[in-house]
Amino acid sequence: MTSIAHITIQADNGDGREFYTDTLGLGELIQVQPTAEPSSGFRGFALGLVTAQPDDVDALMADALKAGATEPKPAAKSLWGYGGAVQAPDGTIVTLASESKKSTGPVTRAISSVVLQLGVADVAASKQFYESKGFTVAKSYGRKYAELDTGRVSLTLNRRRDLAKNAGVAEDGTGSHRILIAGPSAFTDPDGYTWVAAN
């Protein structure tokens, strides 16, 4: 299996790791490093966090807002479940969703899965590219969505406009994605997402 070892978020001053480690409880999965690369608007990706129940989503979103995040999409019920989105102080979009529609136990803030959601111009072409790099496709819905089997951090390929809409932000954005993905080897995908070889 081709896996993601960790994700590096690039921020203006390199600060903000505590938001991911302490506020969201992601530990070593997220690194933060400084960058001078310009970036504006939607960076094309979102970090997705899945919890067991709606109360955990609410608790994590409240913690994120106290830590300086903004709320482009307040948590709410939908046809598929319950979730919302926050924008981290460094500009990264974080979506939160629950596995169930109702809360049945105490709030734990535990994250059951982490998903790196990449917004791409052509899902089918991106899927083919990743398959050529040795990635295994776990789920695929034509040109709309694909999920790759990448270990403890799942990787999804989404239409950019759909991902932005799901996060409650405009799809426009320019400059750097401000993300490095540590995996099996170093390469840049068709949409400009940079992978680095994991140590």
Side-chain angles (χ1 to χ4, degrees):
M1 176 178 59
T2 305
S3 62
I4 294 174
H6 65 268
I7 298 164
T8 299
I9 302 295
Q10 297 176 309
D12 285 332
N13 53 16
D15 293 334
R17 187 164 183 267
E18 297 80 10
F19 179 82
Y20 300 98
T21 58
D22 300 343
T23 305
L24 298 180
L26 295 174
E28 296 302 314
L29 281 180
I30 304 294
Q31 307 292 320
V32 177
Q33 73 177 32
T35 186
E37 291 291 323
S39 183
S40 65
F42 180 46
R43 295 180 185 159
F45 76 92
L47 187 63
L49 308 180
V50 181
T51 68
Q53 58 186 3
D55 286 350
D56 294 315
V57 169
D58 289 338
L60 284 166
M61 289 188 74
D63 290 346
L65 294 174
K66 286 178 189 174
T70 57
E71 190 178 46
K73 187 174 183 180
K77 291 180 183 178
S78 68
L79 292 175
W80 51 266
Y82 184 84
V86 295
Q87 188 166 23
D90 63 65
T92 299
I93 298 293
V94 181
T95 63
L96 297 104
S98 65
E99 295 173 343
S100 64
K101 293 185 179 183
K102 289 187 177 182
S103 295
T104 57
V107 174
T108 66
R109 293 179 175 80
I111 295 166
S112 55
S113 62
V114 178
V115 183
L116 176 57
Q117 305 164 85
L118 300 183
V120 301
D122 186 329
V123 171
S126 291
K127 182 181 78 167
Q128 185 176 25
F129 172 84
Y130 279 99
E131 285 179 305
S132 76
K133 292 288 185 183
F135 288 77
T136 302
V137 176
K139 296 177 185 175
S140 179
Y141 299 96
R143 295 189 173 274
K144 293 185 177 182
Y145 171 87
E147 181 179 328
L148 307 179
D149 188 3
T150 51
R152 61 182 180 161
V153 179
S154 296
L155 178 69
T156 64
L157 306 173
N158 312 263
R159 292 188 296 195
R160 181 184 171 99
R161 68 178 178 274
D162 293 345
L163 183 57
K165 182 178 179 181
N166 184 54
V169 297
E171 70 174 292
D172 300 331
T174 60
S176 172
H177 291 300
R178 292 199 170 188
I179 184 174
L180 299 174
I181 309 161
S185 61
F187 62 87
T188 300
D189 81 0
D191 293 276
Y193 294 103
T194 302
W195 288 69
V196 296
N199 295 333

